[in-house]
Amino acid sequence: MANASASQSSMSTTTSSTTVQLEFQDFSHTTTTTTTSSSSHAASSFSIPIGAKYDARRAIASGGDDDDMFGDNTDRVQLLTEPAGGSRSGGSQSQQRTPSSGSPAIWTLEYYQQFFDVDTEQVVSRVRNSLWPLKNDFLRKIQGRGDLYGPFWISTTLVFLTAMSGNVAHWFATTEEERVTWQYDFSKVSLAATTIYSYVTLVPFAVWLWLRWKVTNSPTLLDVFCVYGYSIFTYIPVAMLCAVPQFQSAGRWGLILTAMGFSGAVLLLNFYAVLSENKSPALMAMLLFVAGAHLALAMAFKLYFFDYAAH
């Protein structure tokens, strides 16, 4: 009886131990299976959008249609894949400067940045063309590719040089007693700015309107601004020379008329080429307006800034 009881007790212990071991193995298997299933499900749930984004970027790079793939997320993909300015990489320079739906607004500085997109070589080449007017191909060379960088800095430089040289010429024209109380005339800066900026903006705008009305293939407004801005470059060295006291009234007249002749020839010959190609009937009236406005600028230089006799 004792042996039977011990044997029965041993069997129950073994059974209980086996049961516990089986339950532990089942629990481990269940946990592992659940974890593996969850990890597999998580991996599959994350693999779908990653693959979709990769395929989408491949489709955009190859020029494919991504509207069907993204729906409302098209703008986000374009924002990430397009460079600043709204133009995709690989396009030509002319295509990148073409206004699009994503271009900056006209009242922002980013909009006008495209008009100053020139390098030093282009600016130097255009300055050279403005100094040699007999070639009369300035408008043809810059056709559709005019800039405002050169005209702005040429005009601004001329404003301050004219005001400074005018004051220096005035100082040399005063006597020793008058120099004690002599003062710099700052009104010359505002007068020079009004004269020069008005000439390089209002006059070319009026010329462009007339060309657009009378000529079939007229230059763009930017090209007309460009040729006017570069044409006054010859006045920069003349403004500095007019401050030299050795140049009296006659010498200054000669300098200013020379600058007027060179810069005026740039305008007249280039506009004559445009008008003659289009066989415009009002050719002479247009050229007279250009010459008259340029003569008025030269007279303003001499009579308002350099009309002094040195003592």
Side-chain angles (χ1 to χ4, degrees):
M1 291 294 292
N3 292 333
S5 298
S7 176
Q8 185 177 3
S9 175
S10 176
M11 290 177 62
S12 72
T13 302
T14 303
T15 305
S16 175
S17 175
T18 303
T19 303
V20 172
Q21 184 178 1
L22 289 174
E23 289 177 356
F24 177 76
Q25 290 177 354
D26 291 341
F27 177 79
S28 175
H29 176 72
T30 304
T31 305
T32 304
T33 305
T34 304
T35 305
T36 304
S37 176
S38 301
S39 300
S40 176
H41 177 70
S44 63
S45 64
F46 280 96
S47 63
I48 294 175
I50 292 175
K53 291 180 180 179
Y54 178 73
D55 294 339
R57 293 177 181 175
R58 288 177 54 189
I60 293 172
S62 61
D65 187 6
D66 55 320
D67 292 338
D68 296 336
M69 184 178 300
F70 283 94
D72 296 335
N73 293 329
T74 305
D75 295 337
R76 298 180 183 178
V77 176
Q78 292 178 350
L79 182 62
L80 294 174
T81 57
E82 292 180 2
S87 58
R88 299 180 182 178
S89 59
S92 62
Q93 182 178 3
S94 60
Q95 291 176 346
Q96 292 179 359
R97 292 180 62 179
T98 302
S100 60
S101 58
S103 299
I106 193 172
W107 55 82
T108 61
L109 293 177
E110 288 79 4
Y111 176 82
Y112 298 95
Q113 186 176 2
Q114 58 182 322
F115 305 130
F116 294 82
D117 187 16
V118 289
D119 54 24
T120 304
E121 183 179 355
Q122 289 176 315
V123 174
V124 172
S125 175
R126 292 171 182 182
V127 169
R128 289 175 180 173
N129 288 337
S130 68
L131 295 175
W132 189 248
L134 298 180
K135 298 176 67 174
N136 72 351
D137 57 353
F138 192 96
L139 283 174
R140 182 180 59 81
K141 288 184 176 180
I142 68 168
Q143 186 174 8
R145 296 178 292 107
D147 71 279
L148 295 180
Y149 180 86
F152 173 77
W153 285 113
I154 290 173
S155 302
T156 303
T157 303
L158 186 58
V159 166
F160 288 100
L161 272 179
T162 301
M164 182 188 69
S165 299
N167 278 278
V168 172
H170 186 204
W171 186 84
F172 280 118
T174 57
T175 61
E176 293 293 338
E177 293 78 10
E178 294 174 339
R179 291 177 183 177
V180 177
T181 58
W182 183 88
Q183 292 182 351
Y184 190 93
D185 187 4
F186 287 96
S187 64
K188 290 184 182 296
V189 177
S190 59
L191 181 60
T194 302
T195 304
I196 296 171
Y197 286 139
S198 297
Y199 176 77
V200 297
T201 54
L202 300 180
V203 175
F205 183 73
V207 170
W208 174 76
L209 287 178
W210 190 93
L211 291 174
R212 190 172 179 84
W213 175 41
K214 292 289 186 180
V215 179
T216 303
N217 298 321
S218 61
T220 63
L221 178 60
L222 184 62
D223 290 349
V224 178
F225 277 136
C226 185
V227 67
Y228 261 90
Y230 281 99
S231 69
I232 62 174
F233 181 83
T234 53
Y235 282 97
I236 292 179
V238 167
M240 292 187 291
L241 291 175
C242 284
V244 178
Q246 281 72 23
F247 287 101
Q248 298 297 320
S249 180
R252 290 168 182 167
W253 271 114
L255 290 173
I256 293 175
L257 291 177
T258 300
M260 183 193 71
F262 273 89
S263 58
V266 172
L267 299 174
L268 292 174
L269 294 178
N270 276 274
F271 288 127
Y272 176 82
V274 173
L275 295 171
S276 60
E277 290 177 359
N278 292 268
K279 298 179 179 180
S280 175
L283 173 63
M284 188 57 64
M286 177 64 188
L287 296 180
L288 286 176
F289 173 77
V290 173
H294 205 65
L295 178 63
L297 177 68
M299 294 299 101
F301 271 106
K302 179 62 178 71
L303 299 178
Y304 287 98
F305 298 101
F306 303 108
D307 190 20
Y308 303 109
H311 293 283

